[in-house]
Amino acid sequence: MTTSPESRSLIVVTGASTGMGAATARELAARGHHVLAGVRREADGAELASDRIRPVILDITSSDQIADLASLIEADGRPLRALVNNAGIAVNAPVEVLPIAEWRRQFDVNFFGHIEVTQALLPALLRSRGRVVMMSSLGGRLAQPTYGAYSGSKFALEAVSDSLRRELAPHGVTVAIVEPGAVRTEMVGRGGVTARRLSAGMTPEQDRRYGGLMHAILAQSEGFLRDGVDASAAAKTIADAATSRRPKTRYTIGRDAALLTRLARILPDRTLDRVLASALRPLHPER
């Protein structure tokens, strides 16, 4: 019996416990690929496990767990076809309000964790002439109010991804960036919980400055959960980015991401400021 190339290679998906990561692992498996799915808890892995999905405990802020993943791939012996750097968190609050520890946590997960995983797996990807997929965001091209930390981490990831693509192209490794807009995922809901906690901790003066804005941002996030792209639909684009023979350098997910990334390129800053403010204005509480 002939074995397909897909079943003879591995794809790593980080942040696969829920949302787009879990959906992407399942989509890749359905396409015949063997997936190492990074999860935070064994219970999450139990829900994902199948003939083509092997859950692996992976916190991308843990150097030991990243090293264990690299060792597992070396011991497996199959070539590493792609790494999908999907893990992420969202921490939303005004720059003045957000504690520095939360800034560091945001960057540790959304930026430094991805860099460390990529560094650890690059030797295997170079041998196989594989693919790196970086999960950025609409927030990696457009920074809305209260998204300073989140967008900062994603802007940084976009810059490094561009640099990495140019470094690795001569060596046969391709790099693709995926920029989702509104997607119905657990990350959005968890980000809302964090935003409410941070909002509740604002001083009276900060609340006067930013209370209405935080209310509007939370209402907008609830709209994402209600009206955003389904994670399983997003997973199809991510799987294409990981496996297409000739990948694009950037993929967007959702009409909002396609439209706003285009507007961010062509509109003057002040005009874009007014567009974003007008979208939030109806969501502010009535005075």
Side-chain angles (χ1 to χ4, degrees):
M1 183 175 69
T2 303
T3 305
S4 69
E6 289 83 0
S7 65
R8 296 198 302 268
S9 61
L10 304 174
I11 296 179
V12 170
V13 180
T14 70
S17 294
T18 59
M20 287 189 291
T24 299
R26 293 188 175 104
E27 176 67 24
L28 288 166
R31 297 186 186 193
H33 302 283
H34 187 85
V35 181
L36 297 179
V39 298
R40 295 286 300 275
R41 302 176 304 171
E42 291 185 3
D44 297 328
E47 293 185 11
L48 267 179
S50 71
D51 289 344
R52 293 192 180 276
I53 301 177
R54 178 178 176 179
V56 178
I57 298 298
L58 179 64
D59 176 348
I60 67 167
T61 67
S62 167
S63 296
D64 290 342
Q65 291 182 11
I66 292 170
D68 289 344
L69 172 64
S71 296
L72 174 64
I73 292 167
E74 291 292 325
D76 183 279
R78 284 175 289 187
L80 180 61
R81 177 168 183 169
L83 163 63
V84 180
N85 280 309
N86 169 76
I89 60 172
V91 180
N92 292 85
V95 171
E96 178 187 355
V97 171
L98 191 62
I100 197 66
E102 293 288 352
W103 285 86
R104 291 194 174 102
R105 185 168 75 95
Q106 180 76 92
F107 274 77
D108 279 345
V109 177
N110 284 16
F111 181 68
F112 292 115
H114 294 317
I115 302 306
E116 188 168 1
V117 172
T118 302
Q119 287 179 332
L121 301 192
L122 264 179
L125 289 166
L126 285 161
R127 287 196 298 271
S128 64
R129 300 171 72 86
R131 175 85 42 82
V132 179
V133 178
M134 293 290 201
M135 289 300 297
S136 180
S137 168
L138 167 59
R141 306 293 293 280
L142 181 71
Q144 295 199 73
T146 80
Y147 280 76
Y150 178 79
S151 286
S153 68
K154 294 298 188 179
F155 269 68
L157 192 67
E158 294 252 355
V160 170
S161 298
D162 284 340
S163 182
L164 186 67
R165 184 180 68 250
R166 291 156 185 158
E167 291 167 2
L168 296 179
H171 308 289
V173 176
T174 51
V175 178
I177 304 168
V178 180
E179 299 164 341
V183 178
R184 297 195 298 274
T185 70
E186 289 83 349
M187 187 187 78
V188 176
R190 290 193 297 268
V193 171
T194 302
R196 287 184 178 86
R197 172 176 58 80
L198 293 167
S199 183
M202 290 192 297
T203 67
E205 285 189 2
Q206 290 171 342
D207 186 62
R208 282 193 292 272
R209 278 194 286 275
Y210 309 118
L213 173 62
M214 288 295 288
H215 182 279
I217 289 293
L218 286 165
Q220 188 181 67
S221 296
E222 289 168 2
F224 293 164
L225 286 171
R226 183 178 62 252
D227 304 322
V229 174
D230 187 77
S232 61
K236 296 183 186 300
T237 299
I238 301 167
D240 288 345
T243 61
S244 294
R245 289 180 181 272
R246 299 182 67 181
K248 297 186 288 186
T249 57
R250 280 178 170 80
Y251 296 77
T252 57
I253 296 175
R255 282 181 287 184
D256 59 333
L259 173 62
L260 288 171
T261 54
R262 192 173 300 119
L263 290 179
R265 289 197 300 270
I266 63 175
L267 289 182
D269 288 344
R270 297 298 186 191
T271 304
L272 191 57
D273 290 350
R274 289 193 290 271
V275 169
L276 296 177
S278 66
L280 287 173
R281 196 171 295 117
L283 302 175
H284 279 253
E286 294 183 5
R287 296 183 180 181

